[in-house]
C-alpha cells in the first residue's frame, strides 16, 4: 500500500510538471507578431512614408517600381515616373512577420503640368524664392543663389508690376498666356538695345526690356521626358562690357525633362530659346530653368553667335 500510494504521488507530480511545461511552452508560442502601421503622403514624385512597428527587429520595403530597401520606419521614396504602384512592407520580430501594403498613384509630369486628362492648369510666378533659384552662365553650370527669384530680380532692375503673366497648360498640348491687365508682358534681354522704340515699355541699363507681346494663338507645348537636350551657346571669357568675340560652346544634358513651345509661346522670358528645363515639379510647385541672351558681342562680326543663349535663369512657379 505504501508503494502504491507513493507511485500515485509521483504520477501526480509528473502530471503537474507536464502541465507546467505545456503551459510555459504554449505561453512562449503565443508571442504575437509585430504590429505595423503605414501612412502615405504623396508630393509629386516623392512619397513620404510614415511607418511604426515598435516590436520589429528588421524591415523590408518593396516600392513596386523595381526597387527595395531595408529602411527602418519613416522615410521618403522618390519615383522616377508616374503610374500606379503598391508599397509593401514586411517587418520581422520575435513573434514572427507582419506584412502590410498601400497603393499609391504618382501623377505623370504631363498630369502635374496640365491638371490631368481633359483638364488644364494655370501657373504664376512665385513671389517666394525657391530652393534652387538663381542665374548663371550655361557653360559653367546652372548656378543657384546668385540672384533671388525672378520676381525680386525684376523689381531690382525696375520693371513694374504689370509683369504678372498667367501660363495655362492644357492637357491636349495647347497653351495660353494671359495677364491680369490684359496685355501680355515679357522682359527681353538685348545688350545692344537694338529694338523698335515703339515697342519698348521700359528700359534699364541692364539690357532688360519689358514689352507687350501678342497673344500666341494656336500655341502648343511639348513635353520631353528623360531626354537629351543640346543647346548651341556662347559665353564671354572677359566680362568687361563692350563688343568682343564670343566663345561658342555646345552644351549637352542627358536624362532631363524639358518643355518646348511653339508659335510665339514662352514662359518667363521670351528670348532666343523656347525651351524650359523642368528642375522640380509637384502639385503645388514647379521649378524651371530658361535660357536667354546677355552676351555683349558684335552682331556685325559674331554672326549667329550673337543669337545664341548665354545665361540660364532658374525660377519658381506655383498654381494660380
Amino acid at each position: 500500500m505504501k508503494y502504491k500510494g507513493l507511485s500515485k504521488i509521483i504520477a501526480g507530480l509528473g502530471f503537474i510538471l507536464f502541465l507546467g511545461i505545456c503551459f510555459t511552452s504554449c505561453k512562449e508560442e503565443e508571442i504575437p507578431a509585430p504590429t505595423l502601421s503605414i501612412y502615405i503622403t504623396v508630393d509629386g514624385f516623392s512619397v513620404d512614408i510614415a511607418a511604426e512597428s515598435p516590436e520589429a527587429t528588421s524591415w523590408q520595403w518593396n516600392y513596386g517600381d523595381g526597387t527595395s530597401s531595408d529602411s527602418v520606419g519613416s522615410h521618403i521614396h522618390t519615383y522616377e515616373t508616374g503610374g500606379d504602384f503598391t508599397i509593401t512592407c514586411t517587418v520581422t520580430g520575435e513573434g514572427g512577420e507582419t506584412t502590410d501594403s498601400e497603393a499609391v498613384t504618382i501623377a505623370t509630369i504631363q498630369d502635374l503640368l496640365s491638371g490631368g486628362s481633359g483638364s488644364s492648369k494655370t501657373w504664376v510666378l512665385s513671389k517666394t524664392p525657391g530652393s534652387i533659384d538663381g542665374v548663371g552662365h550655361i557653360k559653367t553650370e546652372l548656378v543657384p543663389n546668385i540672384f533671388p527669384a525672378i520676381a525680386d530680380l525684376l523689381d531690382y532692375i525696375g520693371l513694374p508690376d504689370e509683369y504678372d503673366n498667367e501660363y495655362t497648360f492644357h492637357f491636349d498640348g495647347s497653351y495660353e498666356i494671359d495677364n491680369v491687365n490684359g496685355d501680355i508682358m515679357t522682359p527681353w534681354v538685348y545688350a545692344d538695345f537694338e529694338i523698335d522704340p515703339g515697342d519698348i515699355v521700359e528700359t534699364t541699363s541692364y539690357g532688360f526690356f519689358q514689352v507687350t507681346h501678342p497673344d500666341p494663338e494656336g500655341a502648343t507645348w511639348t513635353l520631353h521626358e528623360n531626354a537629351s537636350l543640346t543647346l548651341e551657346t556662347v559665353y564671354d571669357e572677359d566680362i568687361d562690357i563692350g563688343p568682343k568675340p564670343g566663345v561658342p560652346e555646345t552644351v549637352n544634358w542627358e536624362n532631363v525633362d524639358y518643355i518646348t513651345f511653339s508659335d510665339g509661346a514662352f514662359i518667363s522670358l521670351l528670348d532666343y530659346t523656347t525651351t524650359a528645363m523642368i528642375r522640380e515639379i509637384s502639385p503645388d510647385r514647379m521649378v524651371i530653368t530658361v535660357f536667354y541672351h546677355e552676351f555683349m558681342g558684335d552682331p556685325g562680326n559674331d554672326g549667329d553667335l550673337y543669337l545664341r543663349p548665354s545665361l540660364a535663369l532658374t525660377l519658381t512657379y506655383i498654381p494660380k
Side-chain angles (χ1 to χ4, degrees), residues 37 80 91 113 116 126 132 134 138 141 147 169 176-177 192 205 207 221 237 241 253 262-263 288 308:
S37 300
E80 296 296 325
V91 293
L113 270 170
S126 172
I132 54 175
I138 299 172
E141 188 57 45
F147 279 120
F169 292 80
E176 296 174 10
I177 306 174
D192 63 340
S205 60
W221 63 281
E237 287 187 309
I241 295 176
W253 289 272
S262 71
D263 298 315
I288 64 171
R308 296 185 180 192

Side-chain angles (χ1 to χ4, degrees), residues 132-148 150 153 189 208 229 231 233-235 251 253 268-269 271 273 275-277 279 288-295 308-315:
I132 54 175
D133 286 270
V135 58
H137 288 278
I138 299 172
K139 176 181 182 297
T140 56
E141 188 57 45
L142 303 180
V143 183
N145 302 322
I146 296 178
F147 279 120
I150 189 174
L153 176 59
V189 185
F208 276 71
L229 174 61
L231 287 182
T233 73
V234 61
Y235 69 97
V251 181
W253 289 272
S268 68
L269 299 175
D271 190 39
T273 65
T275 301
M277 184 187 296
R279 309 292 298 280
I288 64 171
T289 293
V290 293
F291 308 96
Y292 67 102
H293 177 86
E294 201 179 57
F295 170 61
R308 296 185 180 192
S310 54
L311 291 180
L313 178 65
T314 302
L315 46 104

Side-chain angles (χ1 to χ4, degrees), residues 205-260:
S205 60
Y206 293 90
F208 276 71
F209 294 75
Q210 179 158 308
V211 300
T212 58
H213 183 67
D215 183 7
E217 285 189 44
T220 61
W221 63 281
T222 303
L223 175 64
H224 308 264
E225 295 185 76
N226 198 31
S228 301
L229 174 61
T230 299
L231 287 182
E232 299 298 331
T233 73
V234 61
Y235 69 97
D236 183 1
E237 287 187 309
D238 181 1
I239 62 173
D240 291 339
I241 295 176
K244 60 182 70 68
V247 180
E249 182 171 68
T250 301
V251 181
N252 298 292
W253 289 272
E254 298 293 334
N255 305 317
V256 294
D257 303 316
Y258 65 95
I259 312 164
T260 53

Side-chain angles (χ1 to χ4, degrees), residues 80-129:
E80 296 296 325
T81 60
D84 295 321
F85 303 93
T86 299
I87 299 175
T88 302
C89 178
T90 298
V91 293
T92 304
E94 187 177 355
E97 289 185 350
T98 299
T99 299
D100 195 7
S101 298
E102 289 285 340
V104 296
T105 297
I106 306 299
T108 65
I109 295 178
Q110 182 154 338
D111 291 336
L112 294 171
L113 270 170
S114 63
S117 179
S119 186
S120 63
K121 190 169 184 177
T122 299
W123 296 85
V124 295
L125 187 66
S126 172
K127 305 302 182 183
T128 302

Side-chain angles (χ1 to χ4, degrees), residues 146-157:
I146 296 178
F147 279 120
I150 189 174
D152 297 327
L153 176 59
L154 295 178
D155 287 340
Y156 173 68
I157 61 177

